[in-house]
Amino acid sequence: MNRKIGHITILVSDYDEAISFYTNTLGFVLLTDNQFGEGMRWVTVAPSQESETAIVFVKADTAEKHARVGSQELSMFF
């Protein structure tokens, strides 16, 4: 059976800041940036245009979510 992960979600404080970091610093490509009004966007980045997995940015919209921004990585490797 062939399995794959299509999307990984990451909480961010600011879409544009996250886009800049992932594209300019990490060299990822911006796949989509669709605006839906009221500050909502569907933003995805990936290591390459051909990648089967993309990261979806979700803007933190509550105090609890803001507290989680940046704490989603596996700290045992860093």
Side-chain angles (χ1 to χ4, degrees):
M1 179 186 308
N2 187 12
R3 295 181 184 196
K4 69 176 186 172
I5 295 175
H7 293 97
I8 298 168
T9 303
I10 294 181
L11 282 171
V12 298
S13 295
D14 180 88
Y15 290 117
D16 295 318
E17 193 176 281
I19 291 168
S20 177
F21 176 76
Y22 276 83
T23 59
N24 297 328
T25 304
L26 300 180
F28 280 42
V29 294
L30 178 63
L31 298 177
T32 59
D33 185 359
N34 300 320
Q35 299 187 21
F36 296 101
E38 297 183 25
M40 294 183 66
R41 291 161 70 176
W42 176 259
V43 178
T44 61
V45 297
S48 72
Q49 203 67 12
E50 298 79 24
S51 181
E52 292 186 14
T53 302
I55 296 172
V56 179
F57 297 141
V58 176
K59 188 171 181 181
D61 58 359
T62 66
E64 182 181 57
K65 289 179 186 174
H66 276 284
R68 300 281 307 157
V69 170
S71 67
Q72 297 175 289
E73 83 283 345
L74 294 173
S75 60
M76 65 186 203
F77 294 111
F78 300 101

